[in-house]
Amino acid sequence: MDRTRLNLSRRLAVGALASMLFVQAMPTPAHAQSADYKTLHNLLIRFYGYQRAGEKGADNKNPFYSNSPFPHSQDNHNGQDLSGGWYDAGDFVKFGLPLGFSVYTLLKGYDVFPSAYDDLDSWNYSGKPDGIPDILGEVKVATDYLIKAVISDRVVVTDVGNGKQDHQQLSESGYANSQRTSPRGATVNTGADVAGLYAASLALMSTLYKKHNATYAALCLTKAQQAFTFGLANRKLSAQQNNGEFYSTKYFADKMAAAGVELYRATGQQSYLNHAISFQQQAGSHFFALGYGHVGDLSAFELKRQGVEATSTWLSDVNLAMTRVVTAANASPLIKGAFINADWGNARNASAVAFSAALAFMVTGNESYRTFAQSQTHWVAGMSPFNQSYIVGFGPKAPTEPHHRNDQTLGKQSGKRLRGGVVSGPTPTGNFDASKPENSSWSFNGNNASNYKNTEVALDYNAAMVGAVAFLRDYHNPPPGLIRVTQPLTAAPGNVNLETGKLAISASLEKSAAWKVVLTGATSKAVKTFSGTGTSVQAQWAGESDQGDFMGGENVNLKLDIPQVAAYHLSRTTAQAFITDMKKQPFKAQDVLVDNFNGGVITNALGGTWSTFNDKDAGGSSYTNPLTLAPTAITKDGENGSNALSARLIGASGATHPHAGIRTTFNAAGSAVSLGSASSVIFDVKAAQGDTFYVELEQPGITDKAYYRAQVIIGNTNWNRVRLPFSSFEQPAWRTSPKPLNLGQVASLRFTFYGIGNIRPYLNNIHIENLNIGGAGIRSFSSAGPSMVSGLSLNGSELAYSFSPEGLPNDGWSVEIRDIFGRLVFSREIASNQTRVRLQGLQTGSGLYFLRHVRGGVAESTLRFMVSPK
């Protein structure tokens, strides 16, 4: 990462040059040390225009160039055009490692903070906005080149030009250099480092540029996939990067992780995400700062946004950087308050840790990351409380003579001087100890181009600074309506006994807004919502619910829902509590008894029977002990002396999905029946703390035994009452052929343990809400249009089913029932977001009917069903 040994030959030997050329003072923007983020931001972006290399047959509008042929327009590899792109620094070489890093980092800043970027000009500096953010116009110059550099999935170009030869020249301009070395050849990639950066850059460009030019975005994606394929086939460091004189890295996994996650975003293909996760795990820490050597900070951030936790090493690196801020009283004013970890390039390094900390703030909401990001950005720009700028043409004591060959030749001749470049920054004299930088003397002279250790500029010096300033623009100029959470959502006590106490819920908002707090039981799926308006969020919860019943021994997830919450405060909108004990909710009048075991036999109240089952028919060795009826001696739940069903469920290896369980049928024959308009199952359960099992509906049409189910986790050793809505039942992920839930064909109710080990649950008072065995014979047939209906049942004059429009809008729907002759029998509007539809007062005889769902006057779906006599 340290440029000290890498860039000695990058400097321009301008000692003699300075005596030949008149040194012109650089004008400084007329602003004080206040946070003029907009001016700074656009100046930093504009720097990349000065880095444009000549493009074959075109004027790329580099401000330094005014006549054709433009420099280096003949760059190629075996005749393959490689013109265009960006020069690396003040030289005329195109180095793939820092170029790829810079493109990806610049795009990531826009990706995260798009509202902070302006459209002030066109890519060719016409003076008029072109409808595309200026950052994308600048970066497209580079991605145009990357598209050329990825020749195929077997040939990827790393560098163009000879660095050693280029850096030996004294006073040539781009024109002279082009004449001296035209045409220039290229170095091809041999590893996954540069290819990974190219793939990440092009994939992200395809995502961001799609709305401006879908054809170009598609080309970027194709080339990104080719570069990634090359990287997969060459999982090593490139020889020229690992052992070469210019630039090096010790890592490639971080770059391939970035490529994988960006390709996943661009394509939605799971395989790319899997690669990203695997490579991120290999990437490890850099113990320094974000840079071309290690981009794991960016890939970890993006994985986090995609729901994959990969932040530990990244945040550890940021935390380490925060400890290396110079605070010693004896430190030079040049470095006090700055992250110093090297004897060269410290303005670049401070910019890099600032951007990493900004992203850390976005995913954690931790204010220390925000203040650190701001302090390092201010140090680089010379903003208050600092008074030395390290950006050409910006702020107090701004550098005026960057170490840049075109600026020192063509710029001084024309007066079109380079602006916006981040320079290397202050350097120590004498011995340097990174652990005690305050013990060194430090100096900085921004008015001497030959002093390259102070005044060098480069692509990667600016890249992270652009993103860091974008963050500050975004934070300090929030869009209208943005809400910040000043005090995170809390739920106290964390372990709450709802038999005797309440849960206190609180949070604070920066400004008044309508808010909701939604509580959801992790096991029961029960829901309770509190709402209000203001800056203070306050509620007391005693266990009541709006849907379902919460249970003792389960976690409750709390979510604060407010409009336009700041992304960096999303982590402040969630909390969790654990219910140690819960008041039992009484049974409802519509809860139909299945079994309370008071009869002392293994026959339920419906005439069905209880039995055990296991996975032996699937090659497993799980088994269950015989069912027993055990009298309980627990008095607090009112069940003293009553019977409960007990079975020891033991899962052992052998089957693909080891399991054992108990089941009860709905008739003596054990045949499938219609449950009518049944909506939930409710029961009392007692087990050892931590026992987990599933309640399942055995549906004969599901041949792989991936039955619809809901999970139950017992978090205490008490009796708990559990209500599970059938609408929350899902098939397991291992299903081989998804089937809709059909409550019209259910053979049994199952209590199943999956896994290796054993549990011993006690069950009592099992009921099913709205159970009506064989309410009416009903069979459904294939539908026209998308499938929107599942669980169709008829109970007397009520037709009920689950409604899912499958990606279509979930409002504006109405339902019709027509008979075989097309006559309208029934119609009704469906409420917005309604998932369970109940049509009451329906008068149907036996026969064929059509269930139609209409939106905007168009029938989107039609289901045929047959009603047979009872």
Side-chain angles (χ1 to χ4, degrees), residues 527-569:
V527 176
K528 174 61 183 175
T529 301
F530 295 95
S531 59
T533 300
T535 59
S536 178
V537 176
Q538 299 289 334
Q540 294 281 328
W541 182 54
E544 64 274 20
S545 66
D546 301 323
Q547 173 185 318
D549 294 319
F550 292 91
M551 60 173 281
E554 76 169 335
N555 286 312
V556 176
N557 299 312
L558 294 88
K559 173 67 176 177
L560 174 61
D561 183 9
I562 50 178
Q564 295 190 52
V565 63
Y568 39 82
H569 282 170

Side-chain angles (χ1 to χ4, degrees), residues 40-102:
L40 170 59
H41 199 215
N42 287 297
L43 201 64
L44 290 166
I45 294 171
R46 184 65 176 80
F47 163 77
Y48 288 92
Y50 298 95
Q51 299 304 108
R52 297 181 181 184
E55 189 169 3
K56 185 176 182 179
D59 176 6
N60 64 7
K61 301 301 179 182
N62 184 322
F64 290 131
Y65 299 145
S66 58
N67 58 288
S68 180
F70 298 100
H72 307 111
S73 59
Q74 300 303 310
D75 288 348
N76 72 89
H77 173 66
N78 294 335
Q80 180 75 34
D81 178 24
L82 293 174
S83 65
W86 289 333
Y87 298 132
D88 176 55
D91 51 16
F92 304 113
V93 187
K94 289 178 276 196
F95 289 112
L97 192 63
L99 173 61
F101 163 76
S102 300

Side-chain angles (χ1 to χ4, degrees), residues 318-343:
V318 178
N319 294 338
L320 178 63
M322 293 169 66
T323 69
R324 292 181 174 173
V325 172
V326 178
T327 58
N330 65 320
S332 165
L334 287 172
I335 64 168
K336 188 174 288 186
F339 163 76
I340 301 294
N341 201 37
D343 61 351

Side-chain angles (χ1 to χ4, degrees), residues 499-721:
E499 274 195 325
T500 59
K502 295 182 179 181
L503 187 72
I505 302 167
S506 64
S508 296
L509 311 179
E510 184 180 49
K511 56 187 177 183
S512 180
W515 55 264
K516 292 181 181 179
V517 177
V518 181
L519 289 72
T520 305
T523 295
S524 65
K525 308 301 181 186
V527 176
K528 174 61 183 175
T529 301
F530 295 95
S531 59
T533 300
T535 59
S536 178
V537 176
Q538 299 289 334
Q540 294 281 328
W541 182 54
E544 64 274 20
S545 66
D546 301 323
Q547 173 185 318
D549 294 319
F550 292 91
M551 60 173 281
E554 76 169 335
N555 286 312
V556 176
N557 299 312
L558 294 88
K559 173 67 176 177
L560 174 61
D561 183 9
I562 50 178
Q564 295 190 52
V565 63
Y568 39 82
H569 282 170
L570 285 174
S571 62
R572 299 184 176 189
T573 63
T574 59
Q576 194 174 75
F578 178 76
I579 305 174
T580 61
D581 294 276
M582 181 82 189
K583 291 179 181 177
K584 278 193 174 181
Q585 300 299 315
F587 291 108
K588 302 176 183 178
Q590 56 268 42
D591 290 333
V592 178
L593 179 66
V594 174
D595 212 335
N596 60 12
F597 308 106
N598 289 340
V601 295
I602 310 299
T603 300
N604 65 35
L606 306 174
T609 59
W610 287 90
S611 61
T612 63
F613 62 90
N614 53 47
D615 56 26
K616 289 186 178 180
D617 61 342
S621 55
S622 300
Y623 65 94
T624 60
N625 280 2
L627 299 173
T628 59
L629 287 173
T632 68
I634 300 173
T635 59
K636 71 176 183 177
D637 59 7
E639 293 186 330
N640 186 34
S642 67
N643 287 329
L645 183 67
S646 171
R648 190 180 182 196
L649 309 179
I650 304 175
S653 61
T656 304
H657 306 288
H659 65 274
I662 52 179
R663 66 193 288 269
T664 189
T665 61
F666 298 98
N667 55 38
S671 58
V673 301
S674 169
L675 302 187
S677 55
S679 55
S680 69
V681 58
I682 182 171
F683 55 92
D684 294 335
V685 60
K686 177 181 180 294
Q689 189 169 350
D691 283 353
T692 299
F693 61 90
Y694 289 86
V695 179
E696 301 177 317
L697 293 174
E698 182 181 348
Q699 188 173 315
I702 298 177
T703 57
D704 59 1
K705 297 188 178 181
Y707 301 128
Y708 276 83
R709 64 185 190 173
Q711 187 181 52
V712 177
I713 303 174
I714 306 301
N716 58 26
T717 57
N718 306 324
W719 277 99
N720 302 281
R721 182 156 292 171

